[in-house]
Every structure is written in structure tokens, then in C-alpha cells.
Amino acid sequence: MSRYTFFSLVVILTIATGIGSAWSHASLFAFVPLLFLSMLGLWDLMQKEHAVLRNYPVLGHMRWIFEGIRPEIRQYLIESERDEDPFSREERSLVYQRAKDAEDKRPFGTREDVYAAGFAWLLHSAAPKPHGDGNFRVKIGGGECRHPYDASLYNISAMSFGALGANAILALNTGAKMGGFAHDTGEGGISPYHLKPGGDLIWEIGSGYFGCRDDDGHFDVAQFRDWASHDQVKMIEVKLSQGAKPGHGGVLPAAKITAEIADCRRVPMGQDCISPPGHSAFSTPIEFMHFLAQLREESGGKPVGFKLCVGHHWEFMAMLKAMIETGIKPDFIVVDGKEGGTGAAPLEFTNHLGMPLADGLVFVRNALVGAGLRDGIRLGASGKLVSAFDLVWAHALGADWCNSARGFMFAVGCIQAQACHTNRCPTGVTTQDPLRQRALVVEDKSVRVANFHRNTLKALAEIVGAAGFESPDEMQPWHLMVRQKNGETVPAEEAYPFIPARSLIDGNCENASYTKAWNLARADSFRSA
């Protein structure tokens, strides 16, 4: 019966203070909360939902209290500088310091285990180059593009209005305007908060076609044409899948749809906003290429591309065969690693679906090279890229530029509370609650966004110069070393499989997995041959 000891003590004290309250006001003040606890204990004994409360009335509630503050206890008191959950304190601190224009140097040597498997480093030069300000740019737009975009090498990745609050969108786009880099809208459409600051936009179009859909949720070319012609829209990105939940649609419940969100997404009030798993505008790789060509034409010749988290290898190979057959190529492809983030996703999808960025980026780069399609198609990379070395690493593996979502979220004040899906974000970033959003002061956070971008690219210039180069586009896989499980160190071109140019088309690719995927691919279907 010891499990009832605490409850019994509460009841005894309640009776004692109840009797004593007739003579003492102090006893009355104690009696009221003790009476509440006694009633709570009686309810615990009678309820049938929680076994812990039936066995430990009153005291059992401590379980939920401690469970509720467990993430904060871990983050602030237990977590080490290197624990990744999902970003380490060291990574978050680096972003905060660069966003605040504060000192970002580290004393006393590295905290990395440089002998651990997977540890990577850049080979430096005995003749380092002077570094500039880091204002690196990449021209995006192939031969069919009439308005190529001169993009920064580091941009804000896709985050929708709705997933983020109005003040967060305003701060991000204002920072992008100040720093001269691009802001991806996410699939939720273009909002007034994207437009007001005047920063460059990459308009992402997902399977829900938000902002360019008819009443049935299908693609509406007239609405697309109107928005795509906007001067701020610099590129069009079709989202096939995202890293955190590839192949999964989503539902924004009707109760959460405000009038502003409904207007941006072109959806009615009072109904759930459904983003289906797949697209309805095309069903085969060839149709997909024609859809991309249509978007390029209707946008007036702006760069058009797509984003994906790599899944079945033959499906991407099928797109390449469709490019060859139709002669239509995207201007860019963004590879999203499975380590990418989202407001909420099923645990199984977050943990076990999709290809990590390194593998996906190398695969897409290889497939394009092997099919003779790499020239003219720019490659973007996204997925936990927050430091200058992250950018160098991605460039060495084939990227032309990088995107970051959570890095820029940290810059506007995110503390990794991981409450994005609750509408109770403590810093006002991922909430539609006006009072919570008030905590995010746009005038301050927009400067931090610009600072983070500028200081990260400045650090990129320094590390590129140390390697003896003038630009990140000079990076090659053999400039990056990777430690293997057996302790041996090899260049990235050996750690990851790289295949020769046109080897898939010419039929002399010696990598069996690439050859098998190529042979399974069909331009007329996403199904394997």
C-alpha cells in the first residue's frame, strides 16, 4: 500500500488544516490547495485511462510534469556541445553568433573526433589565395531560359507561410533583400509578407498547386502566369518530394486556415487544405518535362527546375531519358537530403524514408554526368547545411549552390524547442498566434538574417582561399578527404562512387547499380521496365 502513502498524507493534512482553519487564517490558505489535491487524488483513483494515476494518485502527475520539461532539461542541462538532436549546440551557437555579428572563433582546438569513421576534411594549400568578401554567385538558366538568375551560393530554403508566421516571413525576406540572396516560398504560395520587403523569390509549386490551382485542386495556368510574371519571382521550383517526408502529402486542418492563408493558397475557408502525395499535372517522365517547359514559357522564360529527395534510382533515370527524348531540360535540380526538416512528419518517414544528402547529391551528379546532361543544369543542395565547411563539402560532391531552412530559422530566433507543429512556438517563428508572433521583431531579426548569410559566405571565402582557390566552383571530390571505418583515409571520389561522362549513354559504365537503374528506366513511365 506504499503507493498510496503520498495521497494518504495529503488527505490527512487536508482534514487537519480544515479543522484548524476555524481558528487560523494560515490554515485556511493551506486548506484550499490541499483540498484540491485531495479531490484530484480521488479522481485519479476512479479514472480508468491512466494506470499510473490509479496506482499513484496525485504523485503520478509528476511523471507528466517531468516528461513535459524533458526536452528543455536535456537541451539546457544535459546535452553536450556535440550532441546532434537534430542540431548540436555548437552548430546553433555558430549561427547565433554570426547572426548577431558576434565573435565566432573557438579556443583550445577542435572538439571533433578526427579519427572517427566518416570524419571529413578539406585539403589546404601551401600557397593559399587571398580571400574576398564571399559574394559568390552562380548563373542559373540554360539555353531555353530568357531570364537567367544570378543567384547567391547560399539561400533560404523552402518554408511556407502557414508553417511560419507572418513576422518570420517578413524577417527572412527583408534579410534576403538586404543581403542580395533568394528566399524560397515553400509550397504554400506567395503571401503579402513575401512581397512587401522586395527580396528575390524562388516560387515553389507542390502537389497542391497552392497559389495556382482551380477549385478542384488542379493546376491553373492563368493563375500561375499572373504570379510567375511578378518581378520578385526569379525562379520556379516544382517540388516532387522533400527530405523529411518524401512521398507524403499533408493536411492543414480547416480550423487553422486563416483568411490570409486561404488567399495565399487559393483555397476556400472552412475546408481542410489537402496537399496530395503526388502531382496531378503529369503522370509520366515525358509529361513532366513538357510541364516544366510549359512553366518556363508561361513565366516568360524564367529558370524552371525541380526539387526531390532521391528515391527509386530508376525513376530519376527515367526523367533523364525523358530529357533526352524530348530535348527539354530543367534549368536546375535541388537535391534535398532525408536529414532535411519539416514542421511535422510521421516518425517512420523522418527516420527511415529518403536518401541522405551525400548519397543523393552524388547519385544525381553521377546520373547527369553519365547521361551527358550535366552541362547547363545547375545543382542545388539542401539538408543541415549551416557552416562554411558544410557548403564546401556540398560543392566538392557536386553542388553549385546550397539552401538552408533551419539555419535561417536559427538566425530569426528559433531555439530548437521542436514545438513547430503545436502553434505554440516560444519564439514566434512557427506560429500563427499574433501574441506569440509579437515576440519576433522584424527590424532586429532581418538584420540577423543578413548577418548570418554575409558572415557564413565570408567564412566560405576564407576556407576556399586556404585551399588555394578563388571560388567554391573549383572544388572537386579529390580535394575532400573522408575517413573510412577501417581508419583509412581516401578522397571523396573513392569514398563515393563517381562515374565517367556519358558512360550510361555509351554503355560502358562499370558501376553495376547505375547500369541496372539505367536499364530499368523508361521515359514513358515512372514504373521500372
Side-chain angles (χ1 to χ4, degrees):
M1 298 298 289
S2 60
R3 61 186 181 275
Y4 299 119
T5 300
F6 185 81
F7 175 54
S8 301
L9 179 62
V10 169
V11 172
I12 292 170
L13 290 174
T14 302
I15 295 172
T17 54
I19 295 173
S21 63
W23 298 278
S24 168
H25 289 297
S27 295
L28 180 62
F29 286 129
F31 172 71
V32 173
L34 286 169
L35 178 62
F36 169 77
L37 291 176
S38 295
M39 299 301 293
L40 178 64
L42 288 173
W43 179 86
D44 290 342
L45 285 170
M46 298 177 65
Q47 58 83 37
K48 300 178 180 180
E49 185 177 356
H50 300 292
V52 170
L53 295 182
R54 285 173 69 88
N55 272 333
Y56 298 91
V58 181
L59 187 62
H61 287 276
M62 296 299 293
R63 174 184 183 274
W64 280 271
I65 293 174
F66 285 123
E67 192 174 70
I69 62 173
R70 179 180 177 275
E72 288 77 13
I73 294 293
R74 174 178 171 80
Q75 181 170 342
Y76 293 116
L77 299 178
I78 299 174
E79 181 182 276
S80 78
E81 294 294 309
R82 299 292 303 157
D83 285 344
E84 296 188 11
D85 194 21
F87 283 83
S88 69
R89 180 177 294 274
E90 184 175 75
E91 290 171 315
R92 299 196 307 272
S93 295
L94 181 67
V95 177
Y96 298 147
Q97 288 161 345
R98 287 180 173 166
K100 296 175 183 178
D101 249 347
E103 176 63 60
D104 62 357
K105 304 301 184 289
R106 295 291 188 272
F108 227 67
T110 182
R111 290 171 176 159
E112 295 270 7
D113 181 357
V114 299
Y115 297 103
F119 178 75
W121 70 93
L122 182 69
L123 296 175
H124 67 282
S125 173
K129 295 285 184 69
H131 60 83
D133 60 3
N135 187 26
F136 302 115
R137 316 294 294 189
V138 56
K139 183 179 179 181
I140 303 174
E144 301 299 318
C145 177
R146 299 194 294 275
H147 299 285
Y149 179 53
D150 196 30
S152 169
L153 291 197
Y154 198 38
N155 302 285
I156 302 170
S157 196
M159 293 179 284
S160 301
F161 172 55
L164 301 191
N167 282 3
I169 297 292
L170 280 172
L172 289 170
N173 196 260
T174 302
K177 175 70 172 178
M178 295 167 63
F181 53 100
H183 178 191
D184 193 311
T185 64
E187 66 174 310
I190 301 172
S191 73
Y193 309 106
H194 289 101
L195 297 175
K196 183 178 178 180
D200 292 348
L201 294 175
I202 300 170
W203 182 16
E204 182 179 88
I205 298 174
S207 57
Y209 306 111
F210 301 125
C212 55
R213 58 184 270 147
D214 61 22
D215 292 340
D216 296 322
H218 298 127
F219 177 69
D220 187 311
V221 67
Q223 289 186 34
F224 170 79
R225 189 186 304 118
D226 289 343
W227 279 112
S229 63
H230 200 289
D231 288 341
Q232 275 181 250
V233 175
K234 303 300 182 183
M235 302 202 302
I236 314 295
E237 176 185 275
V238 177
K239 189 189 88 168
L240 295 182
S241 57
Q242 68 183 92
K245 50 180 180 180
H248 190 278
V251 177
L252 185 64
K256 292 186 177 182
I257 299 177
T258 65
E260 286 184 315
I261 293 174
D263 183 60
C264 295
R265 298 195 175 205
R266 299 295 189 270
V267 296
M269 292 285 291
Q271 298 180 21
D272 291 343
C273 177
I274 299 174
S275 176
H279 282 262
S280 61
F282 55 87
S283 59
T284 70
I286 288 178
E287 289 179 1
F288 181 36
M289 293 307 119
H290 285 294
F291 181 63
L292 294 177
Q294 180 187 18
L295 297 185
R296 186 187 290 123
E297 181 61 30
E298 296 295 345
S299 67
K302 294 180 178 181
V304 171
F306 61 93
K307 179 177 83 173
L308 84 165
C309 178
V310 178
H312 294 306
H313 287 190
W314 69 78
E315 292 180 344
F316 185 77
M317 298 288 199
M319 297 181 218
L320 301 187
K321 287 189 173 181
M323 293 177 201
I324 295 171
E325 183 171 325
T326 63
I328 301 169
K329 296 195 300 183
D331 298 294
F332 65 92
I333 298 171
V334 176
V335 181
D336 197 15
K338 75 158 284 77
E339 59 269 47
T342 183
L347 182 66
E348 295 86 352
F349 279 73
T350 296
N351 287 348
H352 298 293
L353 246 69
M355 190 176 291
L357 179 57
D359 305 275
L361 183 58
V362 169
F363 169 76
V364 170
R365 177 265 179 202
N366 272 346
L368 288 170
V369 169
L373 294 168
R374 181 66 173 91
D375 292 343
I377 298 179
R378 297 295 190 182
L379 276 183
S382 61
K384 294 188 75 172
L385 304 175
V386 298
S387 75
F389 179 75
D390 294 338
L391 306 190
V392 164
W393 171 86
H395 275 80
L397 295 184
D400 294 304
W401 88 92
C402 298
N403 297 329
S404 177
R406 288 167 292 179
F408 285 99
M409 284 177 65
F410 293 142
V412 295
C414 170
I415 59 171
Q416 197 171 270
Q418 300 183 60
C420 310
H421 59 300
T422 66
N423 206 35
R424 297 192 297 272
C425 173
T427 57
V429 179
T430 60
T431 178
Q432 299 303 313
D433 184 332
L435 290 177
R436 288 180 178 269
Q437 287 191 54
R438 181 179 176 275
L440 198 160
V441 179
V442 174
E443 293 77 14
D444 174 59
K445 303 304 183 186
S446 58
V447 173
R448 296 191 182 190
V449 169
N451 286 344
F452 169 59
H453 176 268
R454 184 187 69 255
N455 288 324
T456 301
L457 288 190
K458 181 181 177 182
L460 175 62
E462 292 177 350
I463 195 171
V464 167
F469 304 121
E470 295 181 353
S471 173
D473 59 17
E474 298 178 65
M475 296 288 176
Q476 297 297 327
W478 52 86
H479 298 137
L480 190 70
M481 301 297 292
V482 182
R483 190 175 296 282
Q484 304 297 287
K485 289 183 178 180
N486 62 2
E488 181 186 3
T489 61
V490 298
E493 63 178 340
E494 295 182 28
Y496 301 98
F498 283 83
I499 65 175
R502 299 185 59 83
S503 58
L504 291 173
I505 287 190
D506 296 339
N508 57 10
C509 178
E510 296 181 357
N511 187 302
S513 64
Y514 281 85
T515 300
K516 179 180 179 180
W518 181 258
N519 292 335
L520 287 173
R522 301 166 45 187
D524 64 342
S525 175
F526 284 109
R527 293 184 177 276
S528 59

